[in-house]
Amino acid sequence: MSYHYNGLSRVPYEGIAYGNDTFVAISRLGNISASSTDNGKTWIEYDMPIGDWYGIAYGEGTFVAVSKSYDTSAISTDNGKTWTEYDMPAGNWRGIAYGDGTFVAVSYWCNIIATSTDNGKTWTQHSVPNCNWYGIAYGDGAFVAVSHGKSSTSIDNGTTWTQHSMPAGYWYGVAYGDGVFVAVDYLNCICAKSTDNGKTWEQSIMPTGLWYNITYGDGAFVALNYPFNKIVISADNGKTWKGQKAY
């Protein structure tokens, strides 16, 4: 079943990804996804499997979402219209990224990640340095995951990881663009950027808000305020931000 909106409904959306000329957002509260082919001006919402969906990424013609509570992934090959569910290892999955033929998902359960090379159908579990991982992004040949005051980098598609320090904060989301990783903090109205694949970070101020997730596209970073569906946009790699409503 589908539902048409001029903008996103007021159900909070936790994750968003772009691929195949389509933005697809997911919500954990209503078990729904939303698709837009006009850069977010209009949206169509679709039913998803029950799943407490948190993270979503695009690669190889497929959108892959991961669940916080149900140890499942959901894949869509038709831009979010229909979804097929698959089992994952046990793990409170929060974020997911795609790069170099591999989807990598991070877990809040301290020291595990999962990788898939068949577009989210089967998964292999690996160890990661001990921390509560929230967000992950891929760029410049590296996966970078973020958490409370720490980042972790993998250059072998999630098999091994090296941990680094970040500024103190609750880093929930991270994205890559224009040679820079930018992470957002959920509680302290700050962001941090790294130009060396997560080894060192430089902190900047953000507008007031609970910045939960971030993505990059069309020359700008876009951060999402959960649960109020407000966004802020930075065209200078996180130095300055301008805000607006997402619906």
Side-chain angles (χ1 to χ4, degrees), residues 108-151:
Y108 188 73
W109 282 2
C110 293
N111 62 344
I112 59 172
I113 62 98
T115 62
S116 174
T117 56
D118 59 4
N119 294 341
K121 296 177 182 178
T122 61
W123 296 85
T124 301
Q125 183 174 304
H126 303 276
S127 296
V128 66
N130 194 9
C131 205
N132 302 118
W133 301 104
Y134 283 102
I136 185 170
Y138 178 86
D140 193 25
F143 286 93
V144 175
V146 295
S147 184
H148 301 294
K150 291 180 174 60
S151 65

Side-chain angles (χ1 to χ4, degrees), residues 127-190:
S127 296
V128 66
N130 194 9
C131 205
N132 302 118
W133 301 104
Y134 283 102
I136 185 170
Y138 178 86
D140 193 25
F143 286 93
V144 175
V146 295
S147 184
H148 301 294
K150 291 180 174 60
S151 65
S152 195
T153 302
S154 173
I155 58 174
D156 57 7
N157 293 344
T159 303
T160 60
W161 296 81
T162 303
Q163 188 164 291
H164 308 281
S165 296
M166 293 184 71
Y170 294 86
W171 304 104
Y172 272 29
V174 61
Y176 177 86
D178 194 27
V180 181
F181 286 91
V182 177
V184 290
D185 180 286
Y186 185 60
L187 293 179
N188 299 302
C189 306
I190 54 176

Side-chain angles (χ1 to χ4, degrees), residues 10 12 209-210 224-231 245-247:
R10 293 177 184 262
L210 302 174
L224 175 67
N225 183 335
Y226 175 88
F228 303 110
N229 285 0
K230 177 183 178 181
I231 63 173
K245 286 287 187 179
Y247 51 77

Side-chain angles (χ1 to χ4, degrees), residues 44-132:
I44 303 175
E45 290 184 341
Y46 299 94
D47 293 326
M48 290 187 72
I50 295 174
D52 199 4
W53 305 106
Y54 255 74
I56 184 171
Y58 177 85
E60 297 293 331
T62 305
F63 287 92
V64 179
V66 292
S67 168
K68 171 180 174 287
S69 303
Y70 289 85
D71 300 329
T72 54
S73 62
I75 72 170
S76 175
T77 57
D78 56 7
N79 296 342
K81 296 178 182 178
T82 60
W83 297 84
T84 303
E85 201 167 10
Y86 294 91
D87 292 331
M88 292 186 71
N92 200 309
W93 303 103
R94 296 298 183 100
I96 184 171
Y98 174 84
D100 194 24
T102 305
F103 284 92
V104 178
V106 291
S107 170
Y108 188 73
W109 282 2
C110 293
N111 62 344
I112 59 172
I113 62 98
T115 62
S116 174
T117 56
D118 59 4
N119 294 341
K121 296 177 182 178
T122 61
W123 296 85
T124 301
Q125 183 174 304
H126 303 276
S127 296
V128 66
N130 194 9
C131 205
N132 302 118

